[in-house]
């Protein structure tokens, strides 16, 4: 073999013209696309009418270049749903901006059998739902591959790996910057201290500092440069642009001074500036991870396996994703229940602290709904699964929490608008400072650049940009740990401004489980009445049947909604329904049968144990309260008297509740509605802000802005206190950020602040904002 013959062909030189799809440089001979994959992807996008994507995209060049297709098999990952539908959750690689989210959702929406396609930029999760066979998922994933996105089955472990990768990248950059700045500082100290140092020695020291600093600035600054470049490609300036310009301008100025033999360089300032800024970024990343511990806790609860009981009595350990509704599972002592289920055994003792915050275990009886995420503290038990992992309560809570953390309230939008105006102004101040010192102050351009760089760095609005989001994330996580879920983006802000509370009675103030008072009732009459009650779902009828559970259902029972029950020769219901001249307080059922005098069954619905304390706490917070209930006025009056409430109304229809809420809003109030039933849904939707306790109907939960996962009303005053504190802290953070700039910018423009000092002040302001935001998660109540 000829020694001059290369073993591999040389790589072709790349041209400067970008690929029309992925924006990578074109190889020689190519005129439009860098590869056939990009050509096909561009044809697909334009064919779907989605070419607006190229104007929106902020992704780095080459990120969307399609790769050769890999074997796809997502059939086993697709979850079957009723009606011939399937659901698939994927992790998307290459997802870097809102334009990518828009492209994926629009491209998949063009498929004829797609029912839903939703992408979360934060978690990089794609949720697909289509009508058709499971194999259709492979074709849908192939569409994403043609666009240049890699996919994998989504799991919490994938998300944690991605988050850890971001943290490792920041730590690596910080390590490089810190190591480089220390070594540059050693050389710089020699120059500072060597007053009698010769020109040649000083030039050598500056050259050594330049050799160390240049790779540090180029590598450690990549997190800022990438973000700044992405913003420029999107046609906007961001906070990292100021940082990038400051670091690069300081380095360029120092290189110029080194090459021309100048007396001063600022390599130490540039590298230390990067180290300080990266330290702040690492602290910010750690703070966000700490604030999102609630999300991580939910993700952990969704991992693991379950023991399924087969029809033949054998057991089988399966992944949680493979457990379907109707499967019977065995939960061992000390094992966590990851799925929603109904208890089949007689009793169970569960620790629900992970999801409700309750410190004491709760007993459950046969037929009770068991909450996913609880831990078995008693003997092993058998339960029947009622929902898949993806459709269960843990997944729903995770989605709500994620939505709350990403929510954009009015004050968040205001901060974003302020930052959008502030950033161009900061760059204008830096330019004006440079021109003023150079043209009017008579300084050289190198000397004029020093205060300009300091002004550019010190005006970087890092603190302003994270002032509100940091508070929201901390508050959302703190509320979750207290058993409160924010179901609407602006629920936190609206909760803080509530000034009037409207309360439902049954199921809200009371336990919603009436019990028969222990009056002496003839055994025969009780059994007959319970046989009638077995045909109704009315709370009082169910309570009567619970008092005599072995009563058999009467024949020919007919129910008159809201009035009572009738069977041949027997009637059970209100006094009016039975034609009796008796006062009806709404907590009694009258019974008549041939040859028997009318018999009254009286019930009591006990108040929630924490209701008096919660009402007192709400009043102490300055809120006015009233009860608005569909129950009989005497029963409502009794509860109001017990709680010391002056304003109450009974016998209100669902429309009447909604009308009352509408009137309160029209008169300038900000009512908080608390209800749990389907008849409260309209009022919950009409209120300024609304919440429903644990165990509420699905319709009430869908209408409410805030959901309680913990039993009782104690989380409500605690949530109001947290919301008010969060709003105060958010305003404090904005004020701190603006005040910091009002004081620091004039000093920088006047040349009294060096770039290094500016970096330290700017990083400290961001740290102060983060530490202040963490106060929003302080616990204010004990169960």
């Amino acid at each position: 073999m000829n020694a001059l013959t290369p073993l591999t062909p040389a790589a072709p030189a790349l041209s400067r013209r970008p690929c029309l799809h992925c924006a990578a440089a074109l190889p020689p001979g190519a005129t439009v696309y860098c590869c056939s994959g990009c050509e096909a992807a561009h044809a697909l996008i334009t064919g779907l009418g989605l070419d607006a994507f190229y104007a929106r995209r902020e992704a780095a060049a080459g990120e969307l270049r399609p790769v050769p297709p890999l074997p796809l098999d997502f059939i086993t990952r697709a979850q079957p749903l009723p009606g011939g539908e399937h659901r698939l959750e994927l992790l998307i690689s290459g997802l870097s901006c809102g334009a990518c989210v828009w492209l994926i959702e629009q491209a998949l929406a063009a498929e004829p059998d797609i029912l839903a396609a939703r992408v979360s930029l934060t978690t990089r999760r794609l949720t697909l739902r289509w009508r058709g066979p499971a194999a259709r998922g492979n074709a849908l994933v192939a569409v994403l591959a043609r666009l240049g996105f890699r996919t994998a089955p989504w799991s919490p472990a994938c998300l944690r790996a991605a988050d850890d990768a971001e943290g490792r990248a920041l730590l690596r950059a910080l390590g490089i910057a810190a190591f480089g700045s220390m070594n540059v500082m050693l050389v710089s100290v020699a120059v500072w201290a060597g007053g009698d140092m010769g020109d040649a020695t000083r030039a050598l020291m500056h050259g050594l500092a330049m050799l160390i600093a240049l790779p540090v600035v180029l590598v450690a600054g990549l997190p800022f440069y990438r973000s700044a470049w992405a913003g420029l490609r999107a046609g906007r300036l961001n906070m990292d642009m100021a940082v990038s310009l400051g670091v690069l301008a300081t380095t360029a100025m120092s290189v110029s001074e080194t090459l021309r033999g100048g007396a001063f360089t600022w390599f130490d300032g540039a590298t230390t500036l990067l180290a300080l800024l990266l330290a702040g970024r690492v602290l910010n990343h750690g703070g966000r991870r700490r604030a999102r511990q609630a999300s991580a806790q939910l993700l952990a609860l969704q991992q693991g396996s379950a023991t399924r009981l087969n029809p033949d009595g054998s057991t089988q350990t399966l992944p949680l994703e493979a457990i379907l509704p109707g499967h019977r599972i065995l939960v061992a002592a000390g094992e966590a229940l990851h799925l929603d289920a109904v208890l089949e055994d007689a009793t169970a003792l569960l620790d629900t602290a992970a999801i409700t915050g309750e410190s004491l275990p709760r007993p459950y009886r046969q037929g009770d709904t068991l909450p996913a995420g609880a831990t078995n503290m008693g003997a092993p038990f058998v339960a029947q699964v009622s929902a898949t992992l993806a459709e269960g309560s843990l997944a729903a809570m995770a989605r709500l929490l994620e939505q709350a953390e990403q929510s954009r309230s009015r004050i968040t939008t205001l901060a974003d608008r302020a930052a959008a105006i502030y950033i161009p102004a900061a760059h204008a101040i830096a330019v004006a400072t440079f021109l003023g010192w150079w043209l009017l102050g008579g300084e050289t351009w190198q000397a004029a650049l020093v205060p300009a760089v300091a002004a550019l760095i010190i005006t970087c609005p890092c603190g302003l940009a994270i002032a509100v989001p940091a508070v929201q994330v901390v508050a959302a996580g703190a509320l979750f740990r207290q058993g409160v879920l924010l179901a609407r983006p602006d629920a936190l802000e609206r909760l803080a401004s509530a000034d009037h509370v409207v309360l439902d009675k049954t199921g809200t103030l009371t336990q919603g489980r009436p019990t028969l008072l222990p009056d002496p009732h003839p055994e025969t009459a009780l059994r007959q009445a319970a046989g009638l009650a077995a045909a109704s779902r009315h709370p009082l009828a169910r309570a009567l049947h619970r008092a005599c559970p072995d009563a058999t259902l009467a024949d020919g029972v007919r129910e008159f909604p809201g009035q009572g029950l009738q069977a041949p020769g027997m009637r059970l219901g209100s006094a009016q329904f039975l034609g009796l001249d008796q006062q009806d307080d709404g907590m009694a059922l009258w019974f008549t049968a041939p040859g028997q005098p009318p018999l009254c069954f009286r019930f009591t619905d006990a108040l929630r144990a924490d209701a008096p304390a919660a009402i007192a706490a709400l009043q102490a917070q300055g809120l006015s309260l009233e009860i608005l209930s569909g129950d009989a006025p005497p029963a409502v009056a009794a509860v109001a008297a017990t709680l010391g409430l002056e304003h109450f109304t009974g016998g209100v229809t669902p429309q009447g509740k909604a009308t009352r809420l509408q009137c309160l809003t029209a008169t300038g109030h900000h009512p908080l509605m608390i209800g749990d039933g389907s008849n409260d849904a309209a009022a919950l939707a009409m209120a300024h802000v609304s919440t429903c306790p644990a165990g509420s109907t699905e319709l009430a939960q869908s209408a409410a802005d805030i959901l309680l996962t913990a039993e009782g009303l104690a989380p409500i005053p605690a949530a109001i206190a947290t919301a008010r504190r969060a709003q105060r802290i958010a305003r404090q953070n904005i004020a701190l950020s603006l005040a910091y700039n009002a004081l620091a910018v004039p000093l920088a423009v006047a040349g009294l602040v060096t770039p290094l000092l500016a970096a330290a002040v700017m990083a400290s302001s961001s740290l102060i904002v983060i530490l202040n935001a963490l106060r929003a998660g302080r616990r204010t109540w004990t169960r």
Side-chain angles (χ1 to χ4, degrees):
M1 179 183 296
N2 192 322
L4 298 178
T5 303
L7 296 177
T8 58
L14 298 178
S15 69
R16 294 185 177 181
R17 185 172 180 176
C19 171
L20 192 59
H21 172 66
C22 71
L26 295 176
T31 57
V32 181
Y33 306 103
C34 65
C35 63
S36 59
C38 285
E39 182 177 4
H42 187 271
L44 175 61
I45 292 173
T46 55
L48 293 172
L50 304 177
D51 41 345
F53 161 73
Y54 295 108
R56 300 178 176 215
R57 184 178 59 184
E58 305 169 17
E63 279 193 358
L64 293 184
R65 182 182 298 176
V67 296
L70 299 175
L72 301 174
D73 185 12
F74 290 91
I75 297 177
T76 58
R77 291 281 180 173
Q79 301 172 358
L81 301 175
E85 299 177 6
H86 284 84
R87 174 192 177 105
L88 181 62
E89 292 188 340
L90 301 171
L91 181 72
I92 306 296
S93 176
L95 197 64
S96 55
C97 64
C100 296
V101 172
W102 177 83
L103 175 63
I104 292 174
E105 292 184 348
Q106 294 296 320
L108 291 174
E111 296 292 323
D113 48 2
I114 280 289
L115 300 176
R118 295 291 180 266
V119 180
S120 170
L121 182 59
T122 303
T123 60
R124 295 175 290 283
R125 176 167 56 180
L126 166 64
T127 302
L128 281 173
R129 188 163 58 88
W130 70 91
R131 182 176 288 109
R136 181 73 173 109
N138 287 344
L140 297 175
V141 173
V143 173
L144 302 178
R146 289 172 60 193
L147 294 175
F149 297 98
R150 294 178 180 267
T151 55
W154 190 91
S155 70
C158 293
L159 176 60
R160 287 203 304 272
D163 288 343
D164 292 341
E166 179 185 356
R168 286 195 299 270
L170 287 174
L171 284 174
R172 182 166 54 248
L174 174 60
I176 294 172
F179 178 79
S181 63
M182 287 187 293
N183 283 276
V184 170
M185 193 66 70
L186 289 174
V187 178
S188 300
V189 167
V191 178
W192 299 344
D196 56 349
M197 182 179 292
D199 293 341
T201 304
R202 185 174 60 248
L204 176 63
M205 292 298 180
H206 287 168
L208 288 174
M210 182 178 67
L211 291 177
I212 299 172
L214 284 180
V216 171
V217 169
L218 294 176
V219 176
L222 283 176
F224 302 104
Y225 307 152
R226 290 194 183 105
S227 176
W229 177 242
L232 280 179
R233 296 187 63 182
R236 57 180 173 80
L237 297 175
N238 59 23
M239 66 184 71
D240 288 332
M241 176 57 69
V243 172
S244 301
L245 287 178
V247 171
L248 294 177
T250 303
T251 304
M253 177 176 60
S254 301
V255 171
S256 172
E257 287 295 286
T258 300
L259 296 179
R260 74 183 189 91
F264 302 102
T265 61
W266 293 268
F267 292 117
D268 52 344
T271 53
T272 308
L273 168 63
L274 271 180
L276 287 172
L277 293 176
L278 285 167
R281 188 67 59 91
V282 169
L283 289 173
N284 183 28
H285 177 77
R288 285 189 288 113
R289 290 193 63 183
R290 176 184 173 185
R292 295 188 62 184
Q293 283 179 349
S295 295
Q297 184 181 30
L298 279 178
L299 292 175
L301 289 174
Q302 296 179 68
Q303 289 185 294
S305 59
T307 303
R308 186 180 70 180
L309 290 176
N310 297 321
D312 60 1
S314 62
T315 60
Q316 184 179 8
T317 302
L318 296 174
L320 295 175
E321 296 84 355
I323 304 296
L324 301 177
H327 286 178
R328 300 171 69 241
I329 58 174
L330 175 65
V331 183
E335 183 181 356
L337 176 66
H338 301 282
L339 300 159
D340 296 284
V342 176
L343 182 62
E344 289 191 358
D345 286 343
T347 60
L349 185 65
L350 297 181
D351 179 5
T352 60
I355 51 175
T356 67
E358 293 182 82
S359 57
L360 297 177
R362 289 187 54 199
Y364 290 84
R365 299 177 181 177
Q366 186 178 26
D368 286 348
T369 299
L370 305 180
T375 302
N376 182 14
M377 302 298 292
F381 63 83
V382 176
Q384 186 179 70
V385 175
S386 57
T388 63
L389 181 67
E391 299 293 337
S393 58
L394 288 180
M397 283 191 287
R399 287 190 290 268
L400 287 174
L401 188 60
E402 180 182 323
Q403 178 182 347
E405 289 173 349
Q406 300 175 25
S407 61
R408 301 178 63 81
S409 63
R410 181 177 58 85
I411 193 170
T412 304
T413 305
L414 180 63
D416 290 346
R417 290 177 180 175
I421 300 172
Y422 182 84
I423 294 172
H427 288 79
I429 290 174
V431 172
T433 302
F434 172 74
L435 294 177
W437 281 98
W438 183 33
L439 299 178
L440 302 179
E443 298 287 345
T444 63
W445 71 267
Q446 293 92 343
L449 197 58
V450 175
V453 169
L456 191 63
I457 294 171
I458 212 165
T459 54
C460 177
C462 297
L464 181 62
I466 64 176
V468 179
V471 174
Q472 279 191 308
V473 171
V474 172
L479 287 175
F480 170 78
R481 288 187 290 274
Q482 296 179 4
V484 180
L485 275 174
L486 304 178
R488 300 286 186 271
D490 56 348
L492 190 69
E493 183 177 350
R494 286 190 279 131
L495 182 62
S497 61
D499 57 11
H500 183 79
V501 181
V502 178
L503 296 144
D504 178 45
K505 184 184 79 71
T506 304
T508 302
L509 291 172
T510 65
Q511 296 178 0
R513 189 181 175 90
T515 57
L516 181 65
L517 288 174
D519 293 335
H521 303 109
E523 182 67 25
T524 301
L526 176 60
R527 187 174 299 276
Q528 289 175 328
L532 279 174
S536 175
R537 303 296 295 173
H538 190 277
L540 295 185
R542 296 176 65 184
L544 181 57
H545 187 258
R546 283 197 301 269
C548 187
D550 57 343
T552 58
L553 177 64
D555 296 330
V557 180
R558 181 183 177 190
E559 182 170 10
F560 297 83
Q563 301 180 57
L565 300 154
Q566 179 179 316
M570 296 183 295
R571 278 196 168 195
L572 177 71
S574 65
Q576 183 181 4
F577 177 64
L578 272 64
L580 302 175
D581 186 16
Q582 297 286 343
Q583 181 69 27
D584 201 340
D585 62 359
M587 291 299 289
L589 289 177
W590 289 84
F591 174 72
T592 59
Q596 298 181 13
L599 182 63
C600 182
F601 296 96
R602 297 193 178 276
F603 302 85
T604 181
D605 189 6
L607 284 174
R608 291 184 181 270
D610 61 351
I615 295 300
L618 291 172
Q619 291 174 329
Q621 290 175 331
L623 288 90
S624 54
L625 296 94
E626 68 172 287
I627 300 177
L628 206 61
S629 175
D631 291 348
V636 179
V639 171
T642 303
L643 295 174
L645 298 179
E646 298 180 0
H647 304 285
F648 59 89
T649 309
V652 185
T653 64
Q655 182 58 42
K657 292 184 178 183
T659 301
R660 173 60 177 162
L661 268 298
Q662 191 174 16
C663 292
L664 286 170
T665 303
T667 55
H669 289 285
H670 296 151
L672 163 63
M673 174 66 191
I674 307 174
D676 72 314
S678 298
N679 60 334
D680 299 318
L684 291 168
M686 191 66 66
H688 175 69
V689 62
S690 57
T691 182
C692 56
S696 302
T697 64
E698 292 186 7
L699 188 58
Q701 292 182 8
S702 64
D705 303 305
I706 300 169
L707 307 179
L708 303 184
T709 62
E711 291 290 337
L713 299 176
I716 295 175
I720 293 174
T722 299
R724 290 178 175 179
R725 184 170 63 249
Q727 295 303 104
R728 289 196 303 268
I729 293 175
R731 294 188 178 95
Q732 289 172 7
N733 279 351
I734 294 176
L736 285 171
S737 301
L738 296 177
Y740 144 78
N741 284 282
L743 294 174
V745 169
L747 297 177
V749 172
L752 301 177
V753 178
T754 65
L756 180 59
L757 182 59
V761 173
M762 190 267 286
S764 63
S765 71
S766 299
L767 182 59
I768 290 172
V769 166
I770 293 173
L771 292 176
N772 193 40
L774 291 177
R775 292 174 49 234
R778 189 178 63 223
R779 191 179 179 93
T780 58
W781 65 291
T782 57
R783 191 175 293 277

